[in-house]
């Protein structure tokens, strides 16, 4: 193993051990620990480092290598330092031990996304040490609070310190993994050019209270809610073959039959219901549909009381161009005559976002990918969850999710490790991504 791999492995292990667990409360996360770590790692290479801490403990760090030409495009490498909570019972290793086992680093955040936060920092420091003098400015941002709503991280920075985080191009999580596609011409590495929106809502189902000993023909809110849940779970919204999906399928260079199928709304649906690879099935489905996941149900007050009110929460993810009224129309379709019996309250409404793929950065990513994985090329894809990229796209910046991973971890394992058990990353992927960021910076900023 080279010194570079040791360096990124070590930094990743320390980030994992810092355990900046974000449970959504303002006092969780405590990313300041990793800000201190990153600052001490980056210091000493003559870099300009700034810290931002909107509330105690919720810190972010920005380091810059100033460009020589103010007109030249600038690039920001952004990695979040927080992670989601774990249930250690489901893990084979200590989730915060950062153990290196058989060439893999284990721990919460190894995939999402401390691996990239570490490899970006190592690439950045290496460029600084080499005396890299770019035309356009290169920025590194280690950002807090991605795993909640970005309130103390990307949202705060883009609202209050826009000049500090403004760049023409932003790279963040997460692309460059090998998808199980039968491409006719070499591996196709996804670059995330957009992400779905989130419409979270509360659905209140009302009934009439009564005595639990005489349930016949009562107006039981819980029984009604069960039917509401069933209808939402079984609802099949229209399949949408949108632009990013079309360009993904075209770029993947698939056997003709398969490409035709993935561009045909009817066939896409039956593909995702029948294909064996469950990770692929879920991904294809989520990329081409609005999704509805009932996630929370609260109701009832006492065993012997017929409940008069039940509250259901649904996690709905929208496609580009969809708005709250489109989602409500879909819910009306799903619930049929029950729609009139419920009240819907929106909890969060974050529209989908996308950046153009016709940019110099796109070409740069393609060249760097090809150089490190001969025969590979990049294809556009869409993240079905949410990342900090959305805050920057809303301010008019081009933001992609990128990276470069080895083929050691299968796509099914890769996608199940986000917020899942036994999160781990192989050192070959750490090497690839560290070299990738370096090549990208040199190619774009020159
Ligand atoms: Zn993440």
């Amino acid at each position: 193993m080279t010194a570079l791999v040791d360096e990124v492995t070590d930094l990743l292990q320390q980030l994992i051990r810092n355990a900046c667990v974000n449970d959504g409360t303002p006092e969780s996360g405590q990313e300041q620990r990793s800000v201190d770590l990153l600052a001490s790692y980056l210091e000493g290479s003559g870099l300009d480092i700034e810290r931002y801490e909107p509330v105690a403990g919720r810190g972010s760090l920005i380091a810059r290598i100033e460009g020589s030409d103010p007109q030249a495009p600038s690039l920001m490498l952004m990695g979040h330092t927080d992670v989601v909570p774990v249930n250690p019972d489901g893990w084979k290793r200590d989730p915060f031990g950062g153990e290196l086992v058989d060439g893999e680093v284990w721990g919460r955040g190894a995939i999402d996304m401390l691996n990239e936060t570490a490899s970006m920092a190592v690439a950045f420091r290496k460029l600084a040490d080499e005396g890299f003098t770019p035309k356009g400015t290169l920025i590194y941002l280690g950002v807090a609070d991605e795993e909640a709503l970005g309130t103390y991280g990307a949202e705060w920075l883009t609202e209050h310190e826009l000049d500090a985080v403004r760049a023409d191009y932003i790279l963040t999580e997460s692309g460059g993994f090998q998808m199980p596609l039968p491409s006719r011409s070499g591996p196709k590495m996804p670059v995330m050019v957009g992400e779905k929106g989130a419409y979270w809502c509360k659905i209140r189902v009302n009934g009439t209270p009564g005595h639990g000993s005489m349930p016949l023909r009562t107006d039981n809110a819980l029984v009604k809610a069960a039917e509401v849940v069933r209808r939402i779970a079984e609802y099949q919204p229209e399949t949408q073959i949108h632009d990013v999906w079309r360009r993904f399928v075209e770029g993947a260079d698939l056997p003709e039959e398969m490409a035709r199928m993935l561009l045909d709304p009817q066939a896409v649906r039956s593909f995702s219901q029948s294909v064996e690879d469950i990770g692929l099935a879920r991904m294809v489905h989520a990329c081409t549909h609005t999704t509805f996941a009932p996630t929370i149900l609260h109701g009832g007050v006492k065993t012997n009381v017929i409940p008069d009110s039940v509250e259901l929460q649904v996690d709905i993810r929208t496609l580009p161009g969809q708005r709250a009224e489109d989602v409500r129309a879909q819910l009306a379709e799903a619930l049929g005559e029950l729609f009139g019996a419920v009240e819907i309250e929106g909890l969060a409404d974050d529209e989908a976002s996308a950046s153009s793929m016709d940019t110099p950065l796109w070409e740069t990513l393609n060249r760097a990918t090809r150089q490190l994985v001969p025969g590979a090329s990049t294809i556009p894809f869409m993240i079905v969850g949410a990342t900090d990229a959305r805050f920057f796209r809303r301010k008019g910046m081009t933001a992609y999710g990128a990276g470069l991973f080895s083929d050691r971890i299968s796509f099914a394992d890769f996608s199940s490790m986000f917020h899942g058990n036994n999160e781990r990353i192989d050192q070959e992927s750490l090497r690839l991504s560290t070299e990738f960021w370096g090549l990208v910076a040199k190619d774009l900023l020159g």
Side-chain angles (χ1 to χ4, degrees):
M1 277 297 148
T2 64
L4 183 79
V5 174
D6 288 342
E7 201 167 318
V8 61
T9 299
D10 181 61
L11 186 59
L12 171 59
Q13 288 174 306
Q14 294 190 59
L15 287 166
I16 290 170
R17 289 172 193 149
N18 276 348
C20 299
V21 176
N22 185 350
D23 64 14
T25 59
E27 60 280 4
S28 71
Q30 294 301 306
E31 295 89 343
Q32 199 60 27
R33 287 195 290 272
S34 288
V35 165
D36 290 341
L37 168 66
L38 290 166
S40 67
Y41 175 73
L42 292 171
E43 266 159 16
S45 27
L47 291 165
D48 169 25
I49 295 172
E50 293 288 342
R51 298 155 178 252
Y52 299 86
E53 193 176 349
V55 297
R58 310 303 305 267
S60 295
L61 168 144
I62 295 175
R64 320 170 67 91
I65 300 177
E66 287 303 332
S68 57
D69 176 1
Q71 305 304 317
S74 51
L75 171 68
M76 181 160 79
L77 304 175
M78 170 173 66
H80 63 81
T81 51
D82 59 328
V83 297
V84 293
V86 293
N87 177 2
D89 295 348
W91 285 64
K92 290 188 196 135
R93 302 268 167 188
D94 175 2
F96 300 107
E99 289 171 76
L100 175 64
V101 184
D102 188 22
E104 293 179 346
V105 179
W106 285 63
R108 173 56 90 219
I111 285 284
D112 181 11
M113 69 170 290
L114 303 181
N115 63 328
E116 293 195 286
T117 308
S119 61
M120 285 169 168
V122 171
F124 191 87
R125 159 133 204 179
K126 193 163 169 274
L127 288 166
D129 286 346
E130 285 170 2
F132 177 51
T133 49
K135 286 202 193 73
T137 297
L138 177 65
I139 306 164
Y140 173 83
L141 168 58
V143 71
D145 203 24
E146 193 274 345
E147 295 292 2
L149 294 165
T151 314
Y152 308 112
E155 185 181 43
W156 188 87
L157 287 166
T158 50
E159 291 304 323
H160 298 95
E161 295 287 349
L162 187 56
D163 284 342
V165 294
R166 195 194 298 279
D168 295 286
Y169 300 107
I170 320 284
L171 289 175
T172 188
E173 61 191 334
S174 88
F177 45 85
Q178 303 208 1
M179 303 179 84
L181 297 167
S183 290
R184 295 179 295 187
S185 54
K188 300 287 177 275
M189 306 303 213
V191 170
M192 304 301 176
V193 298
E195 60 194 49
K196 289 180 82 176
Y199 180 83
W200 293 351
C201 68
K202 205 188 269 184
I203 298 182
R204 181 176 295 284
V205 184
N206 294 317
T208 310
H211 201 289
S213 62
M214 291 182 294
L216 185 70
R217 290 158 65 183
T218 50
D219 178 26
N220 185 327
L222 189 56
V223 173
K224 238 190 281 178
E227 178 63 10
V228 167
V229 170
R230 194 191 65 79
R231 289 188 190 183
I232 290 174
E234 288 184 359
Y235 176 56
Q236 299 207 336
E238 196 188 336
T239 305
Q240 282 201 29
I241 308 296
H242 49 85
D243 188 47
V244 175
W245 182 254
R246 183 176 301 281
R247 293 181 80 158
F248 159 71
V249 173
E250 287 166 359
D253 193 23
L254 300 166
E256 246 167 72
E257 177 67 9
M258 189 178 184
R260 202 177 318 123
M261 186 175 69
L262 289 176
L263 294 175
D264 169 5
Q266 220 49 45
V268 166
R269 179 169 297 172
S270 41
F271 174 84
S272 48
Q273 277 160 355
S274 60
V275 68
E276 211 168 303
D277 185 327
I278 188 67
L280 182 67
R282 285 183 189 144
M283 186 69 90
V284 168
H285 176 260
C287 282
T288 51
H289 297 86
T290 319
T291 56
F292 296 78
T295 47
I296 295 179
L297 186 66
H298 289 305
V301 288
K302 197 165 182 292
T303 310
N304 63 357
V305 177
I306 300 287
D308 64 349
S309 169
V310 169
E311 198 182 275
L312 165 69
Q313 292 189 27
V314 190
D315 179 357
I316 302 170
R317 302 298 174 123
T318 58
L319 289 165
Q322 288 182 325
R323 301 180 160 261
E325 55 266 30
D326 303 310
V327 175
R328 290 180 73 92
Q330 288 181 312
L331 281 171
E333 193 185 8
L335 297 182
E337 85 288 355
L338 278 176
F339 187 67
V342 302
E343 296 157 44
I344 297 172
E345 181 195 336
L347 298 175
D349 184 8
D350 240 344
E351 277 177 42
S353 67
S355 291
S356 164
M357 58 176 280
D358 302 313
T359 64
L361 179 59
W362 177 271
E363 299 306 325
T364 291
L365 293 171
N366 199 20
R367 277 192 292 273
T369 300
R370 236 177 243 283
Q371 195 169 330
L372 292 168
V373 183
S377 54
T378 50
I379 48 174
F381 205 61
M382 179 187 240
I383 289 193
V384 298
T387 74
D388 280 337
R390 67 190 191 281
F391 299 111
F392 297 86
R393 292 199 188 107
R394 282 176 197 155
K395 298 287 181 193
M397 300 177 234
T398 295
Y400 296 152
L404 199 58
F405 294 85
S406 80
D407 57 4
R408 172 155 170 176
I409 294 171
S410 74
F411 175 71
D413 278 348
F414 181 81
S415 43
S416 71
M417 285 192 287
F418 280 84
H419 301 191
N421 291 336
N422 297 320
E423 214 179 322
R424 63 204 183 277
I425 184 82
D426 62 295
Q427 288 181 293
E428 173 61 4
S429 291
L430 294 176
R431 178 191 71 83
L432 279 171
S433 30
T434 308
E435 291 187 7
F436 181 67
W437 307 124
L439 285 177
V440 166
K442 284 178 183 165
D443 187 284
L444 187 77
L445 307 175

